[in-house]
Amino acid sequence: MRWSHPLHRTLWGPGLGRALQPADDNIPFLIHWIWARKGDCTFGPHRVLIRQRGSSVGSGPPSGRHEQLFRSTSAAEAIQRHRRNLAEWFSRLPREERQFGPTFALDTIHVDPVIRESTPDELLRPPSELVLEHQLPPARLPTLALSQLFDPDACGHRVQTVVLYGTVGTGKSTLVRKMVLDWCYGRLPAFELLIPFSCEDLSSLGPSPASLCQLVAQRYTPLEEILPLMATTGSRLLFVFHGLEHLNLDFRLAGTGLCSDPEKPEAPAAIIVNLLRKYMLPEASILVTTRPSAIGRIPSKYVGRYGEICGFSDTNLQKLYFQLRLNQPDCGHSAGGVGVSPTPAQRDNLVEMLSRNLEGHHQIAAACFLPSYCWLVCATLHFLHAPTPVGQTLTSIYTSFLRLNFNGEMLDSTDPSKLSLMAYAARTMGKLAYEGVSSRKTYFSEEDVHGCLEAGIRTEEEFQLLHVFRRDALRFFLAPCVEPGHLGTFVFTVPAMQEYLAALYIVLGLRKTTLQRVGKEVAELVGRVGEDVGLVLGIVAKLLPLRALPLLFNLLKVVPRVFGRVVGKSREAVAQAMVLEMFREEDYYNDDVLDQMDASILGREGPRCHPEEPPEDEVFELFPMFMGGLLSAHNRAMLAQLGCPIKNLDALENAQAIKKKLGKLGRRVLPPSELLDHLFFHYEFQNQRFSAEVLSSLRQLNLAGVRMTPLKCTVVAAVLGTGKHALEEVNLASCQLDSAGLRTLMPVFLRARKLGLQLNSLGPEACRDLRDLLLHDQCQITTLRLSNNPLTATGVALLVEGLAGNTSLTHLSLLHTGLGDEGLELLAAQLDRNQQLQELNVAYNGAGDTAALALARAAWEHPSLELLHLYFNELSSEGRQTLRDLGGTAEGGAQIVVSLTEGTAVSEYWSVILSEVQRNLNSWDRGRVQRHLELLLQDLEDNRGATLNPWRKAQLLRVEGEVRALLQQLGGPGS
């Protein structure tokens, strides 16, 4: 895996221990040495070391108690400086890990990886047996701890050279990182000096000669003064060569001559060959890591032990990883310090739900067999449940995940094509993924897999590349299905990876029809020839009177244009398919994509479907999200590092085709969950201008019933918070909003005319944010609905401050907000400070006669208030009559609604009252509502008996019937 280009010696020298530059994506060495962000920290059953207080870097390397060979003070100090430099370098966090918290440190938890000892006979198994198998390590084969790698073998022979191999994602780089840190902090006392090398770094030097001493001195300046002593350290010297697949070693004497002098300049590959031959520094210990396809580059006679780096073969190891990772003290804190982090109880709940899903859903356990996918699960859960860093998207998580595992690595360093491993995977696995999405299929037969892998292979070189991909990376993308009824088939390791690869296959332009493939070749040929031939034809046309020549010249120009139109039509077809997938009516009433992802990881509560029941139609709603996300500038930059560049012109043309289709189909009224999916697409795309144009027709934001997590609030605010046009209505009823969500959504609220926040359990602390909203100079809210939130009198005291300084609000609903007498008295005292309010609803607040009458009098004297709702309060019959009399006086503007009747007639607001009761029947106190309905029914019957007007009697009877129906729903006397 790519670590670095040749580094200036100051990057390897004492500067590491003094003023280090911040971790940056432009330092490939850092990206690959610190590989635990890959998620492939394997956990063995032997030892778990947990350091609870900060980073181990601060504890300092051990003293010189093991320095027995380097006895001089200067040599011991050089070793100490080398330890400190390595420790600080290997402990620095990359950007992908910094998202887990400001003080999150990978070296706070160390877990021994799982290493299974293997034999040369196993390595000689036919390749066909290694294609798609999924076998756990046999119990009879021993596992090794890091400290046991160089123990004598079964015959008692000394082991000097160890080769560790593993497929992509199994933890090779994490193992090297952990081994170096263990040595830095004295946990590998068998070795007095450890010198790690990146084979890709060495390969970048090419055949340029350099001695071993020069290579060490250039990279580790503190060791320069003790280089002459290297030959005397014997087996206490350990060389680590990581990523052997980047070097093409030649052990033939004709290809690589013998060299025993560490100071003689040779090609880096020749130095490694002679070290492995034990011709140079014969007593030194050597550890090599490699992918399986490159194991054969070292003859087995030079290897003392082979070890296979295995994944988490036991769900207990997976649970341990998730428990340690997700329960880090700062794991929930955002890098920017924005938002509210999950509490320890919430983190424990996440771990518990994930553990239960691992036990009951065997497919996710099969996916987490690879430690890197455990990292992906943790990163996704962190994205879904913790405050989201600015600019982070789901697509960027998956792109970063692939960059961490591939980072532009070549599929085969010996192949002259230098094809990127990720580019090969996009072409083959992307084709399989897209065919699955097109046919709505997630299970693939072995014939399906072979068909995509072997399509178009004609030459021996292509078969060799396929062989390398099968051995090194196929298991990373595909896993055998372990679900009942689908045994013998294969699935993508995680479902979202199928949709990501399908989207990547499309945006890279790898999906081409026969007409496009032939047309492109013809257009390129004609385009190359056209310029030269055009010049000749222009000269000949002037000399000879041939009218056909100008016609031929114009035809040469037309061919590329025709091909361009064919490509444009293809892009429009892809955009059409993407938009139709986004707006499928069959998906209108399922969960939004974020809840679907959460459920796929943590599992769904409740009984599972029986295996014999017909399966539901597969849903691929992430596919269009990933398509939009991959077109963003940030993801295109990362894809270029992976060897999968997307040209700016192609990205622009794809975006224009998508915008055209979204403009046509995106104007329809969508259910709340689908509307959130639409907004999430724009969030993934990360293009404000594009989103502003497409969403310019959006006037109503109805997300009622959607569980608004911190992430969803961030999505909505990021997409709609910068728009210019007003939103006529924002409905966020029953969304489980909290104060942090209100603050996040503030930019959206400032664009709203009507704002509905009912049924959100907003308490008094939320009223502080609502006060700030009402006092904002850009606030244009005319209607604010806060019903069914426990605001209490404490909260309304803050609200009245906002009302006093607000000039836009005309309708305010505080229905069932727990105001009581104190709250209504506060409103009565402060109501005159607002001069625009037209309607105030304080029904069902438990207020008595005195407080209700005080508020009614303030409303009666208010210059603009027209309507006051006081029904379902704890009013006596005398109090209700007094309020009716006050509201029915000729002078005064406010009409007071306390009952279903006005005198002996039906109130014009009777339907408003009963519809409010009907809407909240399941959330209100049933006994209390029943008591109020019985009082209303008695009032209706009394008024019906007191009137002789048959029309009024009929109206009263009709309303009585509605009230009796509600009482029957409550289990009360309906007749």
Side-chain angles (χ1 to χ4, degrees):
M1 296 182 178
R2 183 177 179 84
W3 284 357
S4 74
H5 299 289
L7 296 180
H8 192 273
R9 63 188 298 163
T10 56
L11 288 177
W12 296 75
L16 284 175
R18 298 196 299 267
L20 286 167
Q21 297 297 321
D24 193 285
D25 297 334
N26 296 322
I27 308 178
F29 181 84
L30 177 63
I31 288 176
H32 293 279
W33 271 117
I34 305 179
W35 198 256
R37 61 179 174 173
K38 222 162 109 170
D40 47 12
C41 298
T42 47
F43 287 77
H46 309 293
R47 175 171 60 92
V48 177
L49 174 62
I50 303 177
R51 307 173 66 92
Q52 293 291 354
R53 293 182 59 84
S55 169
S56 59
V57 176
S59 61
S63 62
R65 59 183 180 273
H66 297 301
E67 274 67 2
Q68 300 174 359
L69 298 176
F70 299 107
R71 297 179 182 274
S72 68
T73 303
S74 60
E77 290 178 352
I79 295 294
Q80 285 298 96
R81 290 199 305 272
H82 179 57
R83 287 181 188 268
R84 286 195 298 269
N85 291 347
L86 282 182
E88 188 163 1
W89 185 257
F90 278 78
S91 299
R92 295 173 65 193
L93 286 175
R95 179 178 56 83
E96 282 78 4
E97 292 293 6
R98 292 200 298 272
Q99 67 175 310
F100 289 101
T103 61
F104 180 81
L106 291 172
D107 55 330
T108 57
I109 295 177
H110 284 305
V111 180
D112 283 338
V114 176
I115 305 171
R116 181 182 65 88
E117 187 169 2
S118 60
T119 63
D121 293 338
E122 290 184 64
L123 305 177
L124 296 176
R125 293 171 59 188
S128 59
E129 297 180 22
L130 299 170
V131 175
L132 289 170
E133 67 174 3
H134 173 60
Q135 295 181 353
L136 304 182
R140 57 183 177 80
L141 294 173
T143 59
L144 299 169
L146 281 179
S147 58
Q148 299 173 324
L149 291 178
F150 290 91
D151 287 355
D153 62 15
C155 299
H157 297 153
R158 175 184 169 194
V159 174
Q160 288 183 282
T161 302
V162 177
V163 174
L164 299 179
Y165 65 93
T167 60
V168 174
T170 50
K172 300 183 294 296
S173 299
T174 300
L175 182 144
V176 171
R177 176 189 169 278
K178 180 182 185 299
M179 192 168 195
V180 172
L181 287 175
D182 277 354
W183 178 79
C184 289
Y185 296 105
R187 294 193 287 268
L188 286 178
F191 301 106
E192 190 170 344
L193 179 59
L194 184 147
I195 303 177
F197 281 103
S198 158
C199 289
E200 186 172 11
D201 177 28
L202 297 177
S203 70
S204 65
L205 300 176
S208 302
S211 69
L212 176 61
C213 291
Q214 288 174 332
L215 292 176
V216 174
Q218 287 174 358
R219 285 154 179 77
Y220 306 106
T221 308
L223 299 182
E224 191 170 0
E225 61 183 276
I226 63 172
L227 289 177
L229 303 177
M230 277 201 308
T232 65
T233 56
S235 62
R236 303 290 301 276
L237 170 63
L238 174 62
F239 287 101
V240 178
F241 296 103
H242 178 62
L244 183 71
E245 64 272 5
H246 294 287
L247 286 174
N248 190 15
L249 304 182
D250 188 354
F251 279 80
R252 298 172 303 160
L253 286 176
T256 304
L258 299 175
C259 177
S260 61
D261 187 359
E263 298 185 358
K264 180 180 179 181
E266 293 280 354
I271 292 176
I272 294 178
V273 167
N274 281 290
L275 284 171
L276 291 169
R277 284 172 173 167
K278 294 304 175 185
Y279 200 77
M280 182 185 295
L281 301 179
E283 297 298 317
S285 302
I286 300 175
L287 175 68
V288 177
T289 67
T290 182
R291 297 200 308 246
S293 63
I295 295 176
R297 297 183 189 180
I298 303 178
S300 59
K301 64 181 179 180
Y302 297 122
V303 180
R305 172 172 285 134
Y306 288 99
E308 180 182 5
I309 304 175
C310 300
F312 294 155
S313 55
D314 189 333
T315 55
N316 290 325
L317 297 178
Q318 300 169 11
K319 292 178 185 178
L320 178 62
Y321 178 93
F322 293 128
Q323 181 179 0
L324 296 178
R325 185 86 183 198
L326 294 174
N327 278 328
Q328 283 286 288
D330 290 324
C331 187
H333 292 272
S334 65
V338 179
V340 177
S341 304
T343 63
Q346 290 171 329
R347 291 200 297 267
D348 291 340
N349 185 51
L350 281 180
V351 174
E352 179 63 26
M353 293 179 68
L354 184 55
S355 298
R356 288 203 304 266
N357 200 30
L358 287 170
E359 295 171 357
H361 187 203
H362 301 295
Q363 198 60 55
I364 191 174
C368 292
F369 174 84
L370 291 176
S372 57
Y373 275 94
C374 292
W375 182 92
L376 180 61
V377 168
C378 286
T380 305
L381 285 176
H382 188 267
F383 175 70
L384 292 173
H385 292 275
T388 306
V390 177
Q392 187 184 60
T393 64
L394 184 65
T395 311
S396 69
I397 288 177
Y398 274 74
T399 308
S400 298
F401 170 67
L402 293 175
R403 186 181 63 169
L404 295 175
N405 285 278
F406 296 99
N407 198 52
E409 285 190 42
M410 290 178 292
L411 179 59
D412 186 359
S413 61
T414 64
D415 185 72
S417 66
K418 305 301 180 185
L419 181 63
S420 157
L421 177 54
M422 189 60 222
Y424 192 90
R427 190 179 71 197
T428 53
M429 293 293 95
K431 177 179 174 63
L432 181 68
Y434 181 74
E435 289 181 356
V437 170
S438 301
S439 58
R440 313 200 69 76
K441 180 171 69 173
T442 57
Y443 304 98
F444 303 93
S445 65
E446 193 163 349
E447 291 73 19
D448 296 331
V449 177
H450 284 292
C452 288
L453 288 175
E454 299 173 1
I457 292 183
R458 298 289 183 269
T459 65
E460 180 64 27
E461 291 76 12
E462 291 173 338
F463 273 106
Q464 175 61 25
L465 291 177
L466 175 60
H467 167 73
V468 173
F469 182 77
R470 280 174 167 168
R471 295 201 65 179
D472 291 349
L474 185 58
R475 176 62 184 85
F476 181 84
F477 295 102
L478 289 181
C481 183
V482 296
E483 296 177 3
H486 296 284
L487 299 178
T489 62
F490 301 94
V491 295
F492 280 85
T493 313
V494 292
M497 183 59 73
Q498 177 181 350
E499 299 179 69
Y500 179 92
L501 290 174
L504 182 62
Y505 183 71
I506 294 299
V507 298
L508 289 177
L510 299 175
R511 177 184 175 270
K512 294 184 177 70
T513 62
T514 304
L515 176 61
Q516 285 179 275
R517 286 193 296 268
V518 175
K520 181 178 180 181
E521 295 173 2
V522 172
E524 289 177 350
L525 176 62
V526 174
R528 287 194 299 267
V529 175
E531 295 181 2
D532 299 332
V533 175
L535 179 61
V536 176
L537 289 179
I539 296 173
V540 174
K542 294 179 180 179
L543 299 176
L544 299 176
L546 299 177
R547 297 182 179 179
L549 290 179
L551 177 62
L552 178 59
F553 178 59
N554 290 332
L555 285 175
L556 290 174
K557 294 181 178 180
V558 166
V559 172
R561 296 176 188 170
V562 172
F563 173 72
R565 290 181 180 177
V566 171
V567 174
K569 292 293 183 182
S570 173
R571 286 197 179 98
E572 289 188 7
V574 170
Q576 176 78 7
M578 189 212 75
V579 173
L580 289 177
E581 183 66 43
M582 189 186 301
F583 295 125
R584 287 180 75 230
E585 293 188 5
E586 294 90 337
D587 303 333
Y588 269 16
Y589 300 102
N590 60 7
D591 293 334
D592 58 79
V593 290
L594 296 175
D595 279 350
Q596 290 177 32
M597 285 208 70
D598 201 33
S600 69
I601 296 175
L602 299 178
R604 295 182 181 274
E605 298 296 330
R608 297 183 179 273
C609 296
H610 193 275
E612 297 181 359
E613 292 182 8
E616 297 180 359
D617 190 20
E618 296 292 347
V619 177
F620 295 99
E621 292 183 280
L622 278 175
F623 168 62
M625 315 299 171
F626 283 138
M627 274 194 66
L630 289 171
L631 293 175
S632 69
H634 176 64
N635 283 297
R636 284 190 285 122
M638 285 195 288
L639 287 172
Q641 297 175 15
L642 285 167
C644 301
I646 301 174
K647 297 180 180 178
N648 290 329
L649 183 60
D650 290 339
L652 177 62
E653 292 176 348
N654 276 309
Q656 289 174 341
I658 292 172
K659 181 168 67 174
K660 181 179 178 181
K661 297 302 177 182
L662 279 178
K664 291 180 179 179
L665 296 177
R667 294 189 182 96
R668 65 179 66 173
V669 177
L670 299 172
S673 62
E674 292 299 304
L675 178 56
L676 183 67
D677 290 348
H678 188 193
L679 298 178
F680 186 59
F681 166 82
H682 289 277
Y683 178 77
E684 290 291 311
F685 198 9
Q686 294 282 298
N687 188 322
Q688 291 185 355
R689 181 179 176 184
F690 174 92
S691 300
E693 293 179 10
V694 173
L695 297 172
S696 60
S697 61
L698 183 66
R699 290 293 182 270
Q700 290 188 336
L701 179 65
N702 180 16
L703 297 177
V706 174
R707 183 173 60 95
M708 292 300 291
T709 62
L711 172 61
K712 295 177 187 177
C713 293
T714 300
V715 168
V716 175
V719 175
L720 296 177
T722 57
K724 301 300 182 184
H725 66 277
L727 295 170
E728 294 300 327
E729 182 175 5
V730 174
N731 185 1
L732 294 173
S734 191
C735 289
Q736 302 180 36
L737 274 173
D738 55 12
S739 298
L742 294 181
R743 290 191 292 272
T744 303
L745 291 168
M746 191 69 71
V748 181
F749 295 162
L750 292 175
R751 295 178 53 195
R753 298 283 176 80
K754 297 180 180 179
L755 178 58
L757 297 174
Q758 314 93 295
L759 289 164
N760 276 297
S761 300
L762 297 174
E765 67 282 355
C767 293
R768 193 178 308 276
D769 301 298
L770 294 172
R771 177 198 61 187
D772 296 341
L773 172 64
L774 292 173
L775 292 176
H776 199 284
D777 57 357
Q778 296 180 13
C779 179
Q780 51 186 320
I781 296 174
T782 59
T783 301
L784 178 60
R785 293 186 290 269
L786 296 172
S787 55
N788 297 297
N789 287 295
L791 303 180
T792 71
T794 305
V796 85
L798 295 168
L799 272 182
V800 294
E801 295 179 20
L803 286 174
N806 181 269
T807 59
S808 63
L809 192 66
T810 58
H811 295 73
L812 176 63
S813 175
L814 298 174
L815 168 74
H816 191 215
T817 51
L819 303 184
D821 288 340
E822 184 182 355
L824 264 65
E825 289 170 356
L826 276 171
L827 283 171
Q830 303 289 331
L831 193 60
D832 60 340
R833 297 178 63 187
N834 180 286
Q835 301 296 309
Q836 288 78 34
L837 201 61
Q838 298 175 12
E839 181 178 351
L840 177 62
N841 189 340
V842 289
Y844 197 18
N845 270 296
D849 292 350
T850 303
L853 186 58
L855 181 58
R857 285 174 178 156
W860 183 76
E861 297 172 356
H862 196 276
S864 62
L865 196 63
E866 299 174 356
L867 190 61
L868 175 64
H869 298 264
L870 284 170
Y871 51 87
F872 274 34
N873 278 295
E874 303 302 317
L875 304 175
S876 65
S877 57
E878 294 81 6
R880 287 196 298 273
Q881 187 58 47
T882 303
L883 291 171
R884 285 196 195 98
D885 295 341
L886 181 62
T889 55
E891 58 275 5
Q895 185 171 356
I896 301 170
V897 181
V898 294
S899 179
L900 297 175
T901 61
E902 295 176 5
T904 57
V906 174
S907 171
E908 60 179 303
Y909 299 103
W910 71 268
S911 60
V912 175
I913 298 174
L914 294 185
S915 62
E916 199 72 60
V917 174
Q918 180 69 59
R919 187 162 48 246
N920 297 285
L921 205 58
N922 295 324
S923 59
W924 286 357
D925 184 286
R926 300 176 72 88
R928 187 175 172 186
V929 172
Q930 181 177 335
R931 178 168 56 84
H932 281 292
L933 286 176
E934 289 172 352
L935 290 174
L936 292 177
L937 182 61
Q938 183 63 47
D939 191 33
L940 287 169
E941 292 174 346
D942 293 344
N943 281 281
R944 180 164 52 86
T947 182
L948 299 177
N949 188 319
W951 174 247
R952 289 185 177 180
K953 285 182 178 287
Q955 286 183 315
L956 290 166
L957 278 172
R958 178 191 172 190
V959 178
E960 284 181 36
E962 298 285 346
V963 175
R964 293 181 192 278
L966 289 174
L967 285 170
Q968 285 181 340
Q969 293 182 45
L970 290 170
S975 59

